[in-house]
Amino acid sequence: MTGAIVITTPAELRDRYQLGASVGLVPTMGSLHEGHLSLIRRAAAENDLAVVSAFVNPTQFNDPFDLARYPRSLERDVELATSAGANLVYAPEVATVYPAGFATRVHVDRITELWEGESRPGHFDAVATVVSILLNQVRPDRAYFGEKDFQQLAMIRQMHRDLAVPGEIVACPTVREPDGLAMSSRNARLSEGERAVAPVLYEALRAMDEAARGGERSSLKLAILGALIVKRALEIELEYLQVVNPETVEPLEVAIPGARAIVAATIGDTRLIDNLELLSGES
Ligand code: AMP
């Protein structure tokens, strides 16, 4: 297998595009795991060229220590991306994304004020801005994002629609460990004991879905049920657990099919998020 080619500038990247070929982009911060690879496989299957961007975006970290300890492994990422079908890995320098004098910020109203937006000030603006830049530099026909980061996906969809960005945003399902824990680069930070209790988040979401299927449609009661399950693991500090509208992420009083249960919790000093569609397949 020949490896994906690493490119560091948009001009070089587009030199590789052949006339009429379709391009799929998977934006990542590197440290690829099976979750990312599922997006890459899909991008490779649906496009002539699959581009994976690997860029640890400094502006989206609230804590400089968090940025410093974010894992970086370009060589390994190129190998993994290649094995999943990527043709090009776009790994720009910080100055290629934010040239000297950079002064623009993309802000999406409303969606960004809730949940993750409350606990991570400025984070979503940083994500909306870097995604806009990457979409403009790579110019993909389709860009692939994980449902794992559900609020982020809702924000990107809104930004994409509002700014009439060309191409399509494709949402991809969350890939999980066999015990249900959503895959995340942060999972590596969990101690053995923390890792053992982490699947309780997904367990709570599943219990909420089961209760909803059993006829309980009060979001409050579903959230209480889920919170009781999470609280069984004493190491976990629950931040929020809510049933929300999947487009606006605003709280819903009644769980309707397609509603999303979303959760954030801290185990030790690792913050995890997860979510699940409720009543999927029901009408
Ligand atoms: P990150 O490198 O963590 O910023 O993630 C890059 C992309 O991969 C985002 O669109 C994430 O939503 C997606 N992603 C991360 N973890 C998973 C997962 N477990 N399943 C599916 N997609 C994921």
Side-chain angles (χ1 to χ4, degrees):
M1 176 171 46
T2 47
I5 297 161
V6 180
I7 307 274
T8 55
T9 66
E12 267 179 283
L13 189 63
R14 291 199 303 269
D15 277 350
R16 304 262 169 188
Y17 295 177
Q18 268 151 16
L19 204 64
S22 61
V23 175
L25 170 66
V26 180
T28 79
M29 297 216 296
S31 274
L32 301 184
H33 54 63
E34 204 39 55
H36 302 115
L37 299 187
S38 72
L39 273 58
I40 299 171
R41 282 188 203 105
R42 179 138 175 217
E46 295 179 354
N47 300 278
D48 300 316
L49 266 185
V51 181
V52 177
S53 61
F55 179 66
V56 180
N57 179 28
T59 63
Q60 73 188 62
F61 288 81
N62 301 93
D63 176 358
F65 176 62
D66 214 19
L67 170 63
R69 71 171 175 168
Y70 200 86
R72 289 164 171 84
S73 52
L74 186 60
E75 226 173 275
R76 180 178 168 274
D77 287 343
V78 173
E79 249 174 60
L80 287 172
T82 303
S83 72
N87 307 99
L88 301 172
V89 172
Y90 179 49
E93 297 293 331
V94 172
T96 305
V97 177
Y98 304 110
F102 187 89
T104 298
R105 186 168 46 166
V106 179
H107 173 75
V108 177
D109 277 342
R110 293 191 296 276
I111 289 179
T112 59
E113 283 153 28
L114 301 161
W115 322 120
E116 292 304 290
E118 277 188 79
S119 59
R120 307 178 71 186
H123 171 76
F124 279 134
D125 287 3
V127 173
T129 304
V130 77
V131 169
S132 303
I133 297 166
L134 290 172
L135 290 174
N136 282 324
Q137 291 190 335
V138 179
R139 301 186 197 168
D141 297 277
R142 297 179 194 85
Y144 296 80
F145 294 89
E147 289 183 348
K148 158 73 173 48
D149 300 285
F150 192 75
Q151 189 176 0
Q152 170 177 290
L153 172 64
M155 176 195 73
I156 288 168
R157 281 187 188 288
Q158 175 91 48
M159 180 270 290
H160 183 261
R161 205 167 43 234
D162 291 351
L163 298 183
V165 181
E168 192 189 331
I169 301 295
V170 183
C172 304
T174 302
V175 177
R176 299 178 180 283
E177 300 286 356
D179 61 10
L181 176 64
M183 288 197 182
S184 164
S185 344
R186 289 167 180 242
N187 295 351
R189 296 187 199 162
L190 299 170
S191 70
E192 211 176 302
E194 291 166 353
R195 173 64 188 80
V197 296
V200 81
L201 297 181
Y202 184 53
E203 214 182 291
L205 296 172
R206 289 243 321 261
M208 291 168 73
D209 183 46
E210 251 172 59
R213 288 178 193 278
E216 179 56 75
R217 298 295 167 97
S218 152
S219 294
L220 181 62
K221 287 190 181 157
L222 292 171
I224 291 171
L225 169 81
L228 287 173
I229 293 172
V230 175
K231 293 281 176 192
R232 274 200 237 131
L234 298 174
E235 303 87 334
I236 302 190
E237 198 179 314
L238 186 59
E239 196 177 309
Y240 61 74
L241 177 59
Q242 282 280 344
V243 177
V244 302
N245 176 306
E247 277 166 31
T248 64
V249 304
E250 282 166 357
L252 282 176
E253 278 183 24
V254 176
I256 48 170
R260 209 85 189 184
I262 59 170
V263 64
T266 303
I267 313 184
D269 57 7
T270 306
R271 192 167 175 281
L272 299 178
I273 56 172
D274 201 353
N275 68 85
L276 185 68
E277 181 181 352
L278 298 182
L279 299 161
S280 134
E282 294 201 5
S283 51

